[in-house]
Amino acid sequence: MIIRVHELPVRKRYPLRISRGTSAGSDNLLVEVEHDGVVGLGEMAPYSGGAVAQTPELARESLAAWAPRLEGLAPWEMQAVEAALDEVGGGVAARAALDLALYDWVGKRLGAPVYRMLGCDPARIVPTTVTIGILPPEVVRERVPEILARTGARALKVKLGSPDGLEADRAMYSAVREVAPPEIPVRVDANGGWTVDGARSMMAWLAERAVEFVEQPLAKGAEADLPAVARGRPIPIYVDESCSVARDVPQLAGVVDGVNLKLMKAGGIREGLRLIHVARAHGLKVMIGCMGETSLSIAGGVALSALADELDLDSHLNLLPDPFEGLRMVDGRLLPSEAPGLGVRRAQPGEEEANR
Amino acid sequence: MIIRVHELPVRKRYPLRISRGTSAGSDNLLVEVEHDGVVGLGEMAPYSGGAVAQTPELARESLAAWAPRLEGLAPWEMQAVEAALDEVGGGVAARAALDLALYDWVGKRLGAPVYRMLGCDPARIVPTTVTIGILPPEVVRERVPEILARTGARALKVKLGSPDGLEADRAMYSAVREVAPPEIPVRVDANGGWTVDGARSMMAWLAERAVEFVEQPLAKGAEADLPAVARGRPIPIYVDESCSVARDVPQLAGVVDGVNLKLMKAGGIREGLRLIHVARAHGLKVMIGCMGETSLSIAGGVALSALADELDLDSHLNLLPDPFEGLRMVDGRLLPSEAPGLGVRRAQPGEEEANR
């Protein structure tokens, strides 16, 4: 197979502020895998907060290092590809982009959407949340109704863990619940911005205010303190930054209630499936989330989404414009395309304009 | 999809004696799944020793109960099929037969061998063992050279746990090692026929006699005693009867070294993959084994076999005749066919004769 890498810069409609900082956009990469006249597409979205910052530079270096090892392989030879990548080493987000391109290629070659190749049942796809970044209450009151109306989403994820402290978190959450219709479920994500005491206090407070659950209360690396937060918890706890690959799951079982799978952390669909299977064997719930991805990578998450209990696949809805199209939002549920592979294509210029 | 069930009686060339009894053949079932002009084939092989005896009668009842629920589904809708089966309940070996037929159908429909659909790398397939049932030493001395020569296998699995006691086990093992060329690796399977003390004693004895590892030293249900056998073990321990599905794996981690996946215990390829993923996340080794199956079900194990550390896929080599063909034994390694789906077909009458 031949691998080509292209720039895929994306700009956010609304900058996203979380506990660790603010993002107004990112230099994503588009990865093309060509073999036997068929081209598969994948995407890398940069992020920090893991063990190694997944920068576009690291991704380009990784893909360049892998390319000569992959020349003699066909895209369906995924086990051999994984073995080559393990030997060479490299960035996990680049690995995800390559994995997505391989699945897209195989689906296009076989004439089947990836979700079908995985045997997934779209009827089981639950509504996705859209994310409200850390904002002052007065902005929340305008932003929440606009986002719900524009995206068609029917569930919210609220970023807490504000550097301004728990008072700011409480003010923001109250503003969200004030303007969100009561039938809209709301969950919160602290992105590791709380202490043990802060987490216990916020979880007790949130439990009385119609929250579904909390995500990543403590920072990555503070997993030893999770039992202190989890003991007698009034609401379920999911972890995100604390869980990237299947091997991270066993030590979290019995401590938390669920894990947030992101393809950019796991390294793609193949490891994503493994993570889901391990979580299930331990009785853990599974959420599928995303980084700052276009519809292309999001389509990879959607291909798996029937296997998840909770979905937070919304980053493409906050892009100006989303350079890909093909996914559909129906009654708040993000559904896969019936086109082969990941089922997305470059957005037409006119449609991009219309999305602005 | 439409489901049809046919008798598939098989007769063993050599009756197989294990700790729990002797089998000279079995009333297997052939399951056909027809949809959209394509027919997928799967097989059920009966067995006892699990929580529920997997009889042909139970399998027929299960398939009959599932059929109306599956009429409106296509074979690729595997998640929906699993949900329907979970709701109705039924035999796990019948479930495996159906799962195999679904994978065969999807592969045939897409024009791809199942091993490719799973991204498996045939170069990673290790040699398979052939099994030597419990036999008197004088028979062992004739049988082992004949079996190695006829099958082309280059590794042996020896059934111990004889009802005649440890002395009989030692005599049989010694006879095997006496006639097997020294380069042939030998492992043993007690099928739960030992006590804790017997297991510890036999493992110490075997460790000095070039054994690879032991399988299922204690009976299913005696898992609480496994740590007493495993403490300071001189050779690795795999479990078979103690581990059927992915959810059985976590409690075995840290106690044993590996698990034996059999599609008839797991319910097919889909659960088999989950079991492998969970075992890997826990650092456990994986063997893929079989019940008294023809090449048809064995081909399902072969489709996954590149993911395993050890293989014991040999039951078809002891049939008179094997009603299916398509697998190849090359240098002791059982390789998949390149034909779509599971890649096997009904053996031609002349070839059946030739196999007698």
Side-chain angles (χ1 to χ4, degrees), chain A residues 79 118-119 121 124 277 282 306, chain B residues 79 83 118-119 121 270 277 282 306:
Chain A
Q79 186 180 19
L118 303 175
D121 178 7
R124 290 177 181 264
H277 296 157
H282 283 279
Chain B
Q79 186 180 20
L118 303 176
D121 178 6
R270 205 164 157 89
H277 296 157
H282 283 280

Side-chain angles (χ1 to χ4, degrees), chain B residues 266-277:
Chain B
I269 289 175
R270 205 164 157 89
E271 180 68 11
L273 278 169
R274 292 190 283 246
L275 187 150
I276 291 171
H277 296 157

Side-chain angles (χ1 to χ4, degrees), chain B residues 143-201:
Chain B
R143 191 72 54 86
V144 166
E146 188 278 322
I147 287 179
L148 288 174
R150 176 172 48 81
T151 63
R154 300 190 178 176
L156 291 172
K157 170 158 145 176
V158 179
K159 293 290 193 180
L160 298 184
S162 168
D164 301 331
L166 300 185
E167 210 44 64
D169 279 353
R170 284 190 282 260
M172 178 177 164
Y173 183 82
S174 297
V176 171
R177 272 279 53 145
E178 195 182 299
V179 294
E183 70 274 15
I184 296 281
V186 179
R187 62 195 61 160
V188 305
D189 181 0
N191 283 113
W194 292 337
T195 62
V196 169
D197 287 346
R200 290 187 64 87
S201 149

